[in-house]
């Protein structure tokens, strides 16, 4: 008898979720993490004395059912809502605010267009109906696309399918809205966690899921607080978690998983191995090619996962002073979140530059000031900013990221200073993690935060590949549980939960017990 029933490769939040459910079921679980800290991309680290930074992901949204099942609040997971959701300042001096309450958002949209305010409320209701139809699918293996379509019971059925499944967000917002500022804000929402153009089919689907989801919250202690709570939950049920342990190879013989080989040459046996790594790393780097069919390996090689975003972590000596708020009576401390983009064309142009390996001139940037909702993240009077720069290429058309990271840093600071001229003078520390840097830090192929692209042909029953959306890989006892599986990226824990449910179902057969 082996010491463990299940080995999980990687202690990202999905691996920890999977571990907690399996251990709760009574299985003997070992989690192996290459870094010295658990969490993967959902991790909080003290990069500078007193500054606790959500280093990669920064807004965890663990699914409510998982929070309840694993009693995460008992293990230190505390969240609060973010409201207003974000400020969108524009170079022309105008600004748009999104709230949790769609009626308040509509009133702010009225500044740009009364027709757009009415269109927004209709769009929100459609997205909400779509979200309610899709929500039961989040914590389950994905259905076929045709089955999902049949679940959308709505008088606007055809309009929902056309708008959200067959269009890009740019086409959708052109039909819905008049104002360029309103169109820009929604297009920027639609490309979060992706490297897709707003014109690409699938971005309207992501936009609808986001709009229909009711907004986001924030974990006290940052993204790592979610991972730590999940780790404690797993350990409370008997799971073993080891850090600073590098898995060199997943061992598969005669179509059956036997365990893992570590970087020091030692092996650990188990009838089930679950990879929290991305699909390409799992198949192309952690497995022997001859253990899998050449056709399957080729399909994995062609999975789309082009790295497309940079994470910037900043420590500030004070708060930004936004030009667009001067004379309005609105306090800038109202907004923890803000998003920078000036037009749909500017977003599209940034995507085009990314496609050809160029650092965009004016990339869209999403920002979150953690300390405005969680003052414990920095020393008194100091603040932290997490930013995501969209459309930054993994492969540059000239030079290397080692040579050019300062160029991107200067563009980032310059963009901030268009909206808050005092920003540069406030910077005490700054870290810029391009996709190339993220690959080395987190072990994710090309540094893609969602592991693989969230284009519609790689979502639902197509994620990561048609025929392999049930978390099983083509070796007995081998599974995926990361963001490269359904329902995709974000710090929800859903992929880890879903993989665990499949493994629990399979275990007697797989283990021979």
């Amino acid at each position: 008898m082996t010491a463990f029933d299940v080995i999980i490769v990687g202690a990202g939040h999905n691996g920890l979720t999977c571990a907690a459910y399996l251990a709760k079921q009574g299985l003997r679980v070992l989690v192996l993490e290459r870094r010295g800290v658990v969490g993967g991309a959902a991790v909080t680290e003290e990069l500078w004395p007193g500054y606790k930074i959500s280093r990669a992901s920064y807004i965890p949204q663990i699914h409510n059912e998982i929070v309840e099942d694993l009693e995460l609040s008992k293990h230190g997971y505390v969240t609060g809502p973010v409201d207003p959701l974000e400020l969108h300042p524009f170079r022309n001096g105008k600004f748009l605010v999104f709230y949790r309450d769609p009626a308040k958002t509509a009133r702010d949209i009225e500044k740009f267009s009364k027709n757009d305010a009415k269109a927004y409320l209709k769009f929100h209701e459609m997205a909400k109906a779509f979200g309610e139809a899709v929500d039961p699918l989040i914590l389950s293996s994905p259905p076929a696309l045709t089955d999902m379509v049949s679940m959308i019971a709505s008088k606007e059925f055809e309009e929902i399918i056309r708008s959200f499944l067959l269009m890009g967000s740019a086409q959708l917002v052109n039909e819905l809205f008049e104002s360029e500022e309103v169109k820009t804000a929604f297009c920027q929402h639609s490309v979060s966690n992706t490297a897709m153009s707003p014109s690409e089919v699938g971005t309207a689907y992501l936009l609808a899921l986001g709009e229909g989801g009711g907004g986001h919250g924030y974990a006290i202690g940052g993204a790592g607080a979610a991972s730590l709570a999940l780790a404690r939950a797993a350990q409370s049920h008997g799971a073993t978690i080891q850090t600073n342990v590098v898995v060199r190879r997943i061992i598969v013989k005669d179509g059956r998983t036997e365990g893992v080989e570590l970087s020091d040459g030692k092996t650990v046996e188990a009838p089930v191995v679950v990879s929290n790594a991305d699909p390409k790393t799992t198949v192309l780097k952690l497995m022997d090619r001859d253990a899998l069919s050449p056709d399957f390996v080729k399909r994995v090689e062609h999975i789309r996962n082009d790295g497309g975003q940079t994470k910037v972590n900043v420590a500030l000596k004070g708060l930004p002073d936004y030009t667009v708020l001067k004379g309005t009576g609105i306090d800038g401390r109202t907004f923890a979140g803000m998003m920078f983009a000036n037009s749909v064309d500017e977003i599209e142009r940034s995507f085009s530059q990314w496609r050809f390996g160029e650092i965009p001139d004016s990339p869209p940037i999403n920002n979150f000031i953690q300390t405005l909702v969680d003052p414990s993240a920095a020393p008194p009077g100091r603040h932290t900013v997490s930013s995501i720069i969209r459309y930054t290429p993994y492969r540059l058309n000239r030079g290397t990221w080692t040579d050019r990271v300062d160029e991107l840093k200067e563009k980032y600071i310059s963009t901030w200073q268009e909206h808050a001229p005092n920003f540069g003078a406030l910077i005490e520390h700054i870290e810029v993690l391009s996709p190339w840097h993220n690959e080395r830090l987190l072990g994710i192929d090309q540094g893609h935060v969602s592991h693989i692209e969230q284009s519609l042909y790689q979502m639902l029953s197509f994620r990561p590949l048609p025929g392999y959306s049930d978390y099983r890989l083509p070796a007995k006892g081998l599974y995926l549980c990361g963001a490269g599986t359904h329902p995709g990226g974000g710090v929800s824990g859903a992929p880890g939960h879903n993989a665990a449910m499949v493994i629990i179902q399979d275990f007697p057969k797989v283990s021979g017990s």
Side-chain angles (χ1 to χ4, degrees), residues 49 89 370 399 467 494 497 504:
Q370 295 97 319
H497 165 279
I504 290 167

Side-chain angles (χ1 to χ4, degrees), residues 74-206:
K74 187 175 78 175
H75 296 291
Y77 183 59
V78 180
T79 63
V82 176
D83 194 27
L85 292 170
E86 68 226 5
L87 168 71
H88 288 254
F90 299 99
R91 199 178 285 133
N92 61 11
K94 299 178 182 180
F95 66 92
L96 173 61
V97 181
F98 281 79
Y99 298 88
R100 297 181 78 86
D101 180 354
K104 289 183 72 174
T105 301
R107 285 196 291 273
D108 210 69
I109 290 174
E110 280 187 351
K111 295 185 304 188
F112 299 92
S113 163
K114 290 186 176 180
N115 289 336
D116 284 359
K118 293 176 184 176
Y120 166 70
L121 290 173
K122 180 183 177 184
F123 163 70
H124 176 80
E125 287 305 310
M126 282 177 58
K128 186 178 176 183
F130 182 70
E132 288 171 352
V134 171
D135 188 63
L137 311 178
I138 299 299
L139 292 186
S140 67
S141 295
L145 186 60
T146 51
D147 293 337
M148 190 195 82
V149 168
S150 69
M151 296 174 68
I152 302 173
S154 167
K155 62 182 180 181
E156 292 135 343
F157 170 83
E158 287 194 349
E159 189 173 359
I160 287 176
I161 297 302
R162 175 181 177 271
S163 298
F164 299 156
L165 296 184
L166 301 178
M167 297 178 76
S169 63
Q171 289 79 18
L172 178 61
V173 301
N174 257 337
E175 289 191 3
L176 292 176
F177 304 119
E178 301 171 338
S179 163
E180 181 64 27
E181 290 85 359
V182 174
K183 293 177 185 180
T184 300
F186 282 110
C187 279
Q188 188 166 6
H189 287 174
S190 77
V191 296
S192 294
N193 296 331
T194 76
M196 294 192 288
S197 156
S199 297
E200 187 170 340
V201 172
T203 50
Y205 169 78
L206 297 175

Side-chain angles (χ1 to χ4, degrees), residues 17 64 69 86 94 135 153 194 221 250-251 260 275 298 308 314 334-335 347 364 368 372 478 489:
T17 303
N64 287 338
D69 284 351
E86 68 226 5
K94 299 178 182 180
D135 188 63
T194 76
I250 297 171
I251 302 169
V260 299
S275 177
K298 184 177 180 180
V314 189
T334 305
F335 306 104
I347 296 173
F368 191 73
L372 290 177
L478 183 59

Side-chain angles (χ1 to χ4, degrees), residues 268-332:
V268 186
E269 295 181 355
V272 172
V273 173
V274 189
S275 177
N276 191 185
D278 64 273
K280 283 193 169 182
T281 293
T282 301
V283 173
L284 305 178
K285 298 176 185 177
L286 294 179
M287 299 186 67
D288 293 331
R289 297 290 182 100
D290 56 9
L292 299 164
S293 74
D295 177 66
F296 177 75
V297 171
K298 184 177 180 180
R299 291 175 69 191
V300 171
E301 288 174 337
H302 286 90
I303 289 174
R304 179 180 168 189
N305 71 322
D306 307 302
Q309 69 178 39
T310 289
K311 176 70 193 301
V312 185
N313 299 308
V314 189
L316 297 180
K317 292 180 281 189
L319 284 170
D321 187 8
Y322 302 104
T323 303
V324 295
L325 298 183
K326 289 187 183 300
T328 65
I330 300 173
D331 190 338

